[in-house]
Amino acid sequence: MKTSTFIASVAFGITMLLSSNANAQKFPDLDKSPMDMASYPNDYKDPAKLVRIIYGRPQLKGRDLSTLIPEGKVWRTGANEAAEITFYKDMKFGDKKIKAGAYSLFLLPEKNACTVIISKDLNVWGSYTYKEANDVARLSVPVTEGTDSLEAFSMVFTKADKGVILNLGWDKTRVAVPFTE
């Protein structure tokens, strides 16, 4: 009985040793534009979220912002996948009511403004397959200039009267997107 237990244990050990090497995981290097998330309320301890956005954070790396986000071309609002915004309750975007749910967020940069686009398309890589017919709402907001340059594209929500503002910044460019309850 002891011999068969010993043989079984050795066989199991050898099998585990060989199979773990054969099935070892190969993990990719870190993404050059890592995913980030912004939400409101910003406190991670507060589970009663109003809105959340998940996006890729591209870096300038010495490049000119106008070549990365050219005027007149729809942009995915970040890197890699299009930014995904989730509303946990119905919100207003300009004069349009947005039902609670998940959407993609695109931007259309213009000379002194930016058209913010909420699309019903989800799981979209970039803006290559963007379809205007799937827009839920559009709102033109002014573009302003900040004093500090941001190397990484960044988003943060702040409290506003009767809602929140999604603040976007990259280099010295700033865009404030209002949502109301």
Side-chain angles (χ1 to χ4, degrees):
M1 191 75 134
K2 289 183 183 179
T3 305
S4 63
T5 304
F6 175 73
I7 292 172
S9 296
V10 169
F12 178 75
I14 291 172
T15 302
M16 291 304 296
L17 181 64
L18 294 175
S19 65
S20 66
N21 286 338
N23 295 323
Q25 296 291 323
K26 170 107 172 90
F27 292 95
D29 292 335
L30 290 177
D31 194 328
K32 293 178 180 155
S33 300
M35 286 188 125
D36 202 355
M37 180 185 75
S39 61
Y40 189 85
N42 296 324
D43 185 353
Y44 70 90
K45 294 177 186 174
D46 188 345
K49 300 297 184 208
L50 184 62
V51 61
R52 176 183 76 177
I53 190 160
I54 299 172
Y55 65 102
R57 293 191 76 186
Q59 315 288 314
L60 281 175
K61 295 185 180 178
R63 300 174 290 181
D64 184 54
L65 190 58
S66 63
T67 60
L68 296 171
I69 310 173
E71 287 181 18
K73 287 187 74 177
V74 173
W75 184 55
R76 65 183 115 199
T77 317
N80 306 325
E81 295 91 356
E84 184 177 298
I85 189 165
T86 302
F87 299 99
Y88 294 98
K89 63 187 285 187
D90 294 353
M91 300 286 288
K92 283 193 79 180
F93 182 60
D95 61 355
K96 183 83 173 173
K97 184 177 179 180
I98 307 293
K99 293 207 171 280
Y103 303 88
S104 288
L105 185 76
F106 295 98
L107 297 179
L108 179 58
E110 299 154 9
K111 183 122 180 113
N112 296 312
C114 188
T115 299
V116 182
I117 304 165
I118 296 177
S119 172
K120 65 182 175 182
D121 287 338
L122 289 173
N123 302 314
V124 180
W125 182 266
S127 56
Y128 308 109
T129 60
Y130 166 77
K131 293 180 185 83
E132 187 174 344
N134 295 334
D135 290 359
V136 173
R138 286 176 164 234
L139 181 66
S140 182
V141 295
V143 173
T144 60
E145 187 172 313
T147 55
D148 298 333
S149 179
L150 298 172
E151 173 64 24
F153 175 68
S154 300
M155 293 192 212
V156 65
F157 285 99
T158 54
K159 180 72 177 137
D161 291 339
K162 301 179 185 177
V164 296
I165 295 175
L166 173 59
N167 298 283
L168 296 84
W170 202 9
D171 194 11
K172 291 188 176 186
T173 301
R174 304 292 186 267
V175 176
V177 184
F179 297 97
T180 54
E181 294 184 59

